Amino acid sequence: MPRRFRVTLLILMWILVGCSSFPILETSTPTPPPTATQTPRPTKTPTLPPTPTPVFATYPWKHVWIKYTVESPAEVASQFGLKEEPLLVIYTDGVMIAARTGDPKVRTQVLNTKEVCSFIARLDTLGFYTLQDSRSTEETNPLYDFNSKYQPIEDGRFATLTVNLTNPKSISFFEPYRKFLARPMRKVMEFVETYNPGRLKPYQPDRLILFVTPGRDLATDSKVKARAWTLETPSLMEMANIPHTFLEGQQAAAVYELLMKYQTSIYLEKESEYTVSFRLLYPHEIVNVGSVTITTPTEERFPVNCNP
């Protein structure tokens, strides 16, 4: 093949290749990565601590097993609902609290079941359960033996002895007729009022009602020495401006300790005299003061009936 012809043929082939319709590969444009859309998170509301429910101190009210009481003065009963003043109380947990007429000191002891059952058995032997309670002040009341010396008396308090067994028993007598008590009531009261199991110690109350008046009470002997009120609180001056003050806890114990130390009703605070009296509150007494939450009584530990 002539050289010229070959050159011409190559040129033609090059043209044909350039004009052919081979598919063209498109250069792919890179797709940008998706932009991450941030989902807004809910704002966290701070959790406030719960408001604490006030918890008030409760008083350990007790079950009474045996009690010997006298009627409270009318003004005390009407103000506070305290109809009785305890002289001897034995609770079902064994705690005994005892006072004596005319003796300001109150004493206590914890009795065991045998001691309490012995107390009840003694009452039975003396005839307590044969007595009938009528609260009558008439000459015909069999609790008394007037022996032709009866005189009607209108003013006076009743004293009551109560024993809470399966069948509770309660007997009352009129205090002005005490010297006329007939047997067996006389023997029962002699036993109760002189009962001493031994090992007695001073009682420290945790509740008091305090009555404070400015000046020296007219019924107080002028020779009675005024004692210093050594407590910063409560203040006699402040308490003298109100009818009464209810004390509890350590403050009641401190005031009672001071009152028992001097055993007087006349106290001196900042060179001023005050007359101070009080009403001790026992563990079974509920006072209408509206400031103390009372618990339900503790479970009885002693048997209700001492007989096996």
Side-chain angles (χ1 to χ4, degrees), residues 15-25:
I15 293 173
L16 288 174
V17 170
C19 295
S20 64
S21 61
F22 284 111
I24 301 174
L25 294 177

Side-chain angles (χ1 to χ4, degrees), residues 64-131:
V64 172
W65 198 351
I66 301 164
K67 64 179 179 178
Y68 170 46
T69 63
V70 294
E71 287 181 323
S72 295
E75 60 273 14
V76 174
S78 61
Q79 281 190 78
F80 308 107
L82 299 171
K83 298 180 180 180
E84 302 173 329
E85 290 186 5
L87 295 177
L88 171 71
V89 185
I90 300 176
Y91 297 98
T92 55
D93 62 359
V95 172
M96 183 192 82
I97 304 174
R100 294 286 183 267
T101 303
D103 185 354
K105 293 183 179 180
V106 181
R107 297 173 175 83
T108 187
Q109 182 53 270
V110 179
L111 307 179
N112 57 42
T113 305
K114 182 179 179 180
E115 288 173 313
V116 180
C117 288
S118 176
F119 184 101
I120 294 173
R122 181 61 176 163
L123 293 178
D124 191 10
T125 301
L126 294 173
F128 174 71
Y129 296 100
T130 66
L131 299 171

Side-chain angles (χ1 to χ4, degrees), residues 27-256:
T27 304
S28 60
T29 304
T31 304
T35 304
T37 305
Q38 293 185 352
T39 304
R41 296 182 181 179
T43 304
K44 207 169 187 181
T45 304
T47 304
L48 298 176
T51 302
T53 302
V55 178
F56 299 99
T58 55
Y59 189 78
W61 189 74
K62 292 179 181 286
H63 282 287
V64 172
W65 198 351
I66 301 164
K67 64 179 179 178
Y68 170 46
T69 63
V70 294
E71 287 181 323
S72 295
E75 60 273 14
V76 174
S78 61
Q79 281 190 78
F80 308 107
L82 299 171
K83 298 180 180 180
E84 302 173 329
E85 290 186 5
L87 295 177
L88 171 71
V89 185
I90 300 176
Y91 297 98
T92 55
D93 62 359
V95 172
M96 183 192 82
I97 304 174
R100 294 286 183 267
T101 303
D103 185 354
K105 293 183 179 180
V106 181
R107 297 173 175 83
T108 187
Q109 182 53 270
V110 179
L111 307 179
N112 57 42
T113 305
K114 182 179 179 180
E115 288 173 313
V116 180
C117 288
S118 176
F119 184 101
I120 294 173
R122 181 61 176 163
L123 293 178
D124 191 10
T125 301
L126 294 173
F128 174 71
Y129 296 100
T130 66
L131 299 171
Q132 297 299 319
D133 186 28
S134 65
R135 291 182 68 90
S136 170
T137 58
E138 299 297 327
E139 186 177 4
T140 55
N141 189 334
L143 282 182
Y144 311 103
D145 182 5
F146 293 104
N147 195 22
S148 301
K149 296 180 181 180
Y150 175 76
Q151 291 183 349
I153 299 177
E154 294 183 0
D155 295 330
R157 301 190 297 178
F158 278 90
T160 303
L161 176 62
T162 301
V163 180
N164 291 316
L165 296 178
T166 304
N167 297 312
K169 181 75 173 181
S170 184
I171 300 294
S172 300
F173 70 90
F174 194 47
E175 276 201 316
Y177 292 156
R178 173 189 290 272
K179 64 181 180 180
F180 298 115
L181 286 175
R183 189 184 181 113
M185 189 63 183
R186 175 170 50 85
K187 290 296 182 182
V188 167
M189 295 318 304
E190 288 176 356
F191 166 68
V192 171
E193 292 181 337
T194 60
Y195 178 70
N196 186 348
R199 313 181 311 278
L200 294 175
K201 59 184 180 181
Y203 177 63
Q204 187 178 64
D206 54 8
R207 296 186 300 161
L208 291 176
I209 303 175
L210 219 58
F211 306 91
V212 180
T213 55
R216 180 182 292 252
D217 188 272
L218 296 177
T220 305
D221 193 325
S222 59
K223 296 180 181 179
V224 174
K225 181 180 179 181
R227 297 291 183 175
W229 186 261
T230 56
L231 302 174
E232 292 186 6
T233 57
S235 164
L236 293 180
M237 182 180 66
E238 293 177 0
M239 291 189 291
N241 293 324
I242 54 180
H244 60 268
T245 303
F246 179 78
L247 303 178
E248 57 185 331
Q250 185 56 43
Q251 192 175 55
V255 169
Y256 184 75

